[in-house]
Amino acid sequence: METPYQNHIDKKEFDHVYEPAEDSFLLIDAIEKDLQYLKAKNPTFCLEVGSGSGLVITAVGMAFPGTFCMSTDVNYKACVMSRSTANHNKVILDSVNMNLVDSFTDHMFDVILFNPPYVVTESDECGGKDITASWAGGVKGREVTDKLLDMIPKKLARNGTFYLLLIEENIPDEVAAIMAALGFTSEIIIRRKVRNEQQLVMKFCR
Ligand SMILES: C[S@@+](CC[C@H](N)C(=O)[O-])C[C@H]1O[C@@H](n2cnc3c(N)ncnc32)[C@H](O)[C@@H]1O
């Protein structure tokens, strides 16, 4: 997959919006690994929750021309940046400022991606709408992630695929159990050690 152009972004803007890092690229690598599988499914609607700079959803839009891409972010500045990253790479993206997928009523997506705020923090650090929302994950680093898991059955198309980046501290086995109870199979499709962090991407299907 091609890495989207991002030189249009003034570095100072990354004081307010998550700057793409190893986790962002691991999520892209996971999609790349699954490219044939996804192409065979011919996705029409793709959604990235928490798109930050827009790097990941733009890479998806470039890999699947003709796919309708949407993204959400609780941080308004991230939505603006996501839109401009998509524009600079000629990807049509609808980027909406919202909590998770709350305001989507009738939408169902063929692909959903989430690189969540996964750092284990105190609960009261979690739930902001600024740069802290990029990393503060609360208890087990899962407070935001767990809320999205509950919404996946209603937002993922019957034949759809959900990709979620986690670290070991998030206890991926527990996430797999939650998703199994919701009717989804899971597998870890890629992992990478980054400094002291073991990052991985889980894939879920019905
Ligand atoms: C780790 S950053 C990932 C950014 C980008 N997806 C990437 O991979 O580079 C997490 C992103 O999720 C957003 N976020 C956190 N909580 C959210 C929520 N409740 N709803 C929507 N977005 C959220 C943050 O603002 C941030 O942009």
Side-chain angles (χ1 to χ4, degrees), residues 33-44:
K33 213 172 163 191
D34 247 13
L35 216 52
Q36 292 317 317
Y37 160 88
L38 285 171
K39 281 196 170 151
K41 286 188 170 257
N42 195 18
T44 308

Side-chain angles (χ1 to χ4, degrees), residues 174-194:
E174 273 187 21
V175 174
I178 292 169
M179 291 304 282
L182 293 170
F184 291 84
T185 61
S186 62
E187 66 178 299
I188 293 172
I189 58 167
I190 197 166
R191 33 169 106 235
R192 194 169 293 158
K193 189 155 191 220
V194 180

Side-chain angles (χ1 to χ4, degrees), residues 6 16-28 48-57 71-76 78-79 82 96-102 113-119 126-136 143-145 147-148 165:
Q6 283 215 302
H16 306 287
V17 175
Y18 188 74
E19 181 165 6
E22 289 89 344
D23 49 356
S24 322
F25 289 102
L26 189 64
L27 189 50
I28 292 177
E48 183 180 12
V49 179
S51 58
S53 70
L55 178 87
V56 178
I57 190 66
S71 70
T72 73
D73 206 294
V74 78
N75 176 347
Y76 175 75
C79 296
S82 288
V96 192
N97 185 211
M98 72 167 91
N99 179 50
L100 300 174
V101 291
D102 283 359
L113 311 157
F114 193 26
N115 174 11
Y118 56 67
V119 178
C126 173
K129 293 185 175 176
D130 55 13
I131 189 71
T132 61
S134 300
W135 49 270
E143 290 193 34
V144 180
T145 299
K147 287 188 183 122
L148 182 68
L165 187 134

Side-chain angles (χ1 to χ4, degrees), residues 54-180:
L55 178 87
V56 178
I57 190 66
T58 299
V60 168
M62 288 159 70
F64 297 96
T67 299
F68 188 68
C69 293
M70 294 194 80
S71 70
T72 73
D73 206 294
V74 78
N75 176 347
Y76 175 75
K77 289 184 172 157
C79 296
V80 174
M81 193 182 284
S82 288
R83 232 172 273 148
S84 93
T85 298
N87 276 343
H88 274 85
N89 289 279
K90 303 193 178 358
V91 167
I92 295 170
L93 173 71
D94 200 355
S95 181
V96 192
N97 185 211
M98 72 167 91
N99 179 50
L100 300 174
V101 291
D102 283 359
S103 309
F104 291 135
T105 46
D106 300 328
H107 295 68
M108 296 281 264
F109 297 94
D110 302 303
V111 177
I112 300 180
L113 311 157
F114 193 26
N115 174 11
Y118 56 67
V119 178
V120 178
T121 64
E122 296 295 326
S123 275
D124 58 9
E125 284 181 70
C126 173
K129 293 185 175 176
D130 55 13
I131 189 71
T132 61
S134 300
W135 49 270
V139 176
K140 298 179 192 172
R142 283 239 312 274
E143 290 193 34
V144 180
T145 299
D146 284 357
K147 287 188 183 122
L148 182 68
L149 299 183
D150 277 345
M151 300 174 182
I152 291 296
K154 286 200 171 136
K155 297 296 163 210
L156 191 68
R158 178 127 297 280
N159 201 20
T161 314
F162 169 44
Y163 296 90
L164 175 66
L165 187 134
L166 294 173
I167 57 171
E168 284 298 340
E169 287 81 352
N170 302 146
I171 322 178
D173 285 350
E174 273 187 21
V175 174
I178 292 169
M179 291 304 282

